[in-house]
Every structure is written in structure tokens, then in C-alpha cells.
Amino acid sequence: MSQIYLLDTNIISEVTKREPNPNLIANFEFYNGKCAISSITWVELLSGVYNLNDGRKKQDLLSFLYDYVQPCFPVIPYDSHAASVHGDLMTRLKELGKPAPLLDSQIASIAISNNLILVTHNTKDFECFQKVSNLMMEDWILEK
């Protein structure tokens, strides 16, 4: 089954909460097998966990990432096509006087270059990309 959705880091992080958002969980179940994460999100998730102090929480989160996230969500790489899209995005935003954060712009570029819908709760962080591209976006925490 092919992927339709690219999950942002904050979407994966939401699942680790004691009481994750019910809309998000319903969408995970409904779109099972149609979601992926970017290589940038994978780095952000691992970095966040590796920076925790050693202990039970760190081990539980590492297990979650390697036993659940990695097998369930293919990791879409930041490849040469995404880099080309990224360069175009950065140029267009610079012309508008709107600098964009590196990691968010890479995630947006991966979504655009693979024709995926970006699922994020931080929609404001990605709105600038929609102004200069065909970035598709949804917020599963607010939407059902």
C-alpha cells in the first residue's frame, strides 16, 4: 500500500503522551498503512530521546521508536529531488522576505517532492510553504 501522509514530529510525539488526542488515534487507525515519516522527523525523534537522562523513560521511548515507529512508518529520505524542491522553496521565500527554519523546510520539501499530505499540529510553522508551493497539510489533532 502506498503512503499518502507524511507525519510531522509533533504527531508522533503526541502518541507518547499519557492520554493521546483521540482524533489523532482515530486517524492513525483509519489511515493504517498509508503513513510515513521523513528522515528529518526520524532524526528529531531520536535526538530528543537520546538527549534524555538514562532511565526508564528513555528506554521506553527508545523501545517505542524502534519497536513501533520504525516498523510501522517507512522513513522517506531527504534525497536529490527533495533537495531540488527545497532550493526552490528557499529561493521563493527569500524573495518574499520570509526565512524558513531548516528542518521544517526540509520536511515540507520531502512532502512536496513525494506528493504527500503533511500531517502536523504546527500548521502555522508550515503556512509559509503553502504560499509558494503546492504543500498539502492536515491537522489530525483538530480534525477527525
Side-chain angles (χ1 to χ4, degrees):
M1 189 171 288
S2 66
Q3 283 67 49
I4 299 171
Y5 298 99
L6 188 70
L7 307 177
D8 191 17
T9 310
N10 62 76
I11 295 298
I12 300 295
S13 296
E14 175 69 23
V15 177
T16 66
K17 291 183 177 178
R18 190 174 304 254
E19 293 185 31
N21 180 280
N23 290 342
L24 177 63
I25 299 305
N27 278 304
F28 268 134
E29 291 171 3
F30 188 77
Y31 295 111
N32 183 27
K34 296 182 180 183
C35 301
I37 62 173
S38 72
S39 55
I40 309 307
T41 291
W42 185 239
V43 167
E44 288 182 318
L45 291 167
L46 288 172
S47 176
V49 173
Y50 289 148
N51 280 309
L52 294 173
N53 292 327
D54 288 339
R56 178 89 174 144
K57 181 178 181 177
K58 183 175 184 175
Q59 287 308 309
D60 288 348
L61 288 171
L62 282 172
S63 291
F64 170 73
L65 292 179
Y66 285 109
D67 297 340
Y68 175 72
V69 174
Q70 192 175 35
C72 291
F73 304 111
V75 177
I76 309 294
Y78 179 82
D79 59 12
S80 61
H81 184 56
S84 178
V85 169
H86 189 205
D88 182 57
L89 280 178
M90 299 306 285
T91 300
R92 290 171 185 248
L93 288 171
K94 184 178 177 183
E95 289 170 356
L96 296 176
K98 297 182 185 268
L102 178 63
L103 298 179
D104 287 346
S105 60
Q106 288 176 314
I107 291 169
S109 299
I110 292 169
I112 294 164
S113 66
N114 289 279
N115 199 34
L116 298 171
I117 299 166
L118 178 62
V119 178
T120 183
H121 189 53
N122 295 336
T123 54
K124 289 216 180 286
D125 293 348
F126 291 91
E127 286 175 351
C128 63
F129 304 113
Q130 287 186 307
K131 293 178 182 176
V132 297
S133 73
N134 63 347
L135 177 65
M136 301 172 287
M137 197 167 38
E138 293 182 7
D139 183 346
W140 287 358
I141 291 176
L142 298 179
E143 302 169 5
K144 194 166 186 183

